[in-house]
Amino acid sequence: MASQRIAVVGAGYVGLTAAACFARLGHDVVCVDVDKAKVDALSRADVSLHEPGLAPIVSAELGTGRLRFVHGLPDDLSEVDFVFVAVPTPTGADGAADLNAVDTVLDQVRDRLSANTVVVVKSTIPVGTVSRLTALLNRPDIAVVSNPEFLREGHAVEDFLHPQRVVVGSENQTAARRVASLYAGTRAPTLITGSASAELVKYASNCFLAMKLSYVNSLAELCEQLGADIADVTEGMRLDQRIGSTFLTPGPGWGGSCLPKDTKALLATALSAEVDFSLLDATIATNSRQAHRVVAKVRDAAGGSLTGVRVGLLGLTFKAGTDDVRDSPALAVAELLAAEGAELTGYDPCVPGGDAVGSVRVVASPYTAIDGASVVVVLTEWPEFAELDWKRVGDGGRAVVVDTRDLLPVKKVREAGIRLVAVGKPLVGQNNHRE
Ligand code: UGA
């Protein structure tokens, strides 16, 4: 497809990735944001997001002239072929997605677009939003299309340029095909649907992943009671292609800016559609219990009380590979520990030392976080934690490490004289699991 002219509204992690990668695919892109400081920084190729590969693309495409950043929506968008809406849809008071930002953009672009421009919603929107926005826009000559994003934080560029699928939904199939062809350079499988189906694919996917994780976290709890090993159980499951091999690692609960928000939103949608989706309800409730489970392990490790106990936390972000601490299970655990009187020192490779994050005093080295701590808790699966000098940690007389991600090399840690409390291993003789 020939180069198209695209405006992306919103320079967050979805909008910025889309803008930079569409430019990389050869399109002419203007990326709009209301935050002047952010626009100025991006115009200098100063990318603050921790997203591998993104800064070099922004820099290169600013150089080719295919990518520009502007503050505020330009008065005239008549030269644009597509407007991508990539503004936040946070959780509202009732659990449903708050669509104020999306509505505002639609309102603002209405009189600035020429006929046949396509408005593409990339923000995650509840089913029925495209229909509602089409009515709100009230421009029969302009199609509104849903094009959900499936980018993982930390892999956004890779996921955009090599997507597993491109989903486009609209009642206007010509417009949907035009949007799909913007991705021709990625050679991804493309699915064109009605707008409601495309909107639901996004929620259905994230909620399914969340359900898989709540399932595996419950299985891990069961393993502890039954003398089974979650690593062996999930290995046995992974070999079944119908189950698949990923999203089967237990942890301190799932978090981040997407799964918690989208599970709540789909549940709110189901409620208002009067559909019993108790499976999703249980998925969320199971996740809320995980931080309490971790705290119980830490409390046990500390001898029954956390009052005045120094706890060293390894990992604060919601997963490895990102600097994002939004809805991080690590911080949920930290706040519960602090509520029981624990004193917290934490280290994360992507969170600068020196500041406090909630109740956690953040330090610049894992050893500083560990020094003087009675219990160490691994909360995020940063590979570097497995490489720590566990002998040095053991020499300090700290007897217990709680590994909520089953990340650490069991043999090495055990040989260092450390008691390792893992997840999903037989509770009796925590040190007896296989290496
Ligand atoms: C998620 C989806 O994976 C993306 O496909 C989607 O595009 C994105 O939300 C979005 O809606 O924008 P992300 O929020 O980056 O991506 O996080 P995930 O990689 O899905 O991880 C979510 C949580 O599950 C993290 O807390 C992670 O540590 C946890 N997790 C993941 C596990 O505990 N175990 C696993 O095996 C995998």
Side-chain angles (χ1 to χ4, degrees), residues 308-328:
V309 173
R310 269 282 319 276
V311 179
L313 306 179
L314 295 180
L316 299 170
T317 54
F318 82 96
K319 65 173 185 177
T322 176
D323 60 356
D324 197 344
V325 295
R326 283 177 294 173
D327 250 318
S328 170

Side-chain angles (χ1 to χ4, degrees), residues 201-220:
V201 168
K202 170 66 194 235
Y203 285 106
S205 300
N206 272 2
C207 293
F208 187 78
L209 294 174
M211 187 181 70
K212 227 176 151 182
L213 292 175
S214 279
Y215 181 78
V216 88
N217 284 333
S218 293
L219 266 186

Side-chain angles (χ1 to χ4, degrees), residues 352-416:
D355 297 337
V357 175
S359 307
V360 186
R361 185 170 69 84
V362 185
V363 294
S365 132
Y367 297 106
T368 315
I370 288 169
D371 261 349
S374 306
V375 185
V376 174
V377 192
V378 177
L379 289 166
T380 311
E381 74 282 25
W382 291 103
E384 67 179 68
F385 297 152
E387 308 298 322
L388 289 179
D389 182 351
W390 289 103
K391 194 154 178 348
R392 174 175 162 188
V393 176
D395 285 348
R398 272 163 306 277
V400 197
V401 176
V402 178
D403 179 5
T404 71
R405 298 273 187 173
D406 285 349
L407 173 80
L408 302 184
V410 174
K411 190 161 179 271
K412 243 196 220 163
V413 174
R414 194 167 67 186
E415 280 173 2

Side-chain angles (χ1 to χ4, degrees), residues 32-45:
V32 181
D33 202 280
V34 290
D35 181 341
K36 176 143 185 353
K38 186 191 264 185
V39 166
D40 290 346
L42 289 171
S43 302
R44 298 190 303 269

Side-chain angles (χ1 to χ4, degrees), residues 149-151 153 202 206 213 247 249 255 258 318-319 405:
E149 59 82 13
F150 303 103
L151 311 178
E153 286 192 28
K202 170 66 194 235
N206 272 2
L213 292 175
F247 271 70
T249 308
C258 305
F318 82 96
K319 65 173 185 177
R405 298 273 187 173

Side-chain angles (χ1 to χ4, degrees), residues 17 20 39 42 59 105 128 138 160 178 183 210 234 247 265 271 301-302 318 342 347 351 355 363 378 389 398 413:
T17 305
V39 166
L42 289 171
S59 172
V105 173
N138 195 22
F160 195 99
R178 279 178 62 203
Y183 295 89
T234 50
F247 271 70
L271 265 175
F318 82 96
Y347 167 76
V351 179
D355 297 337
V363 294
V378 177
D389 182 351
R398 272 163 306 277
V413 174

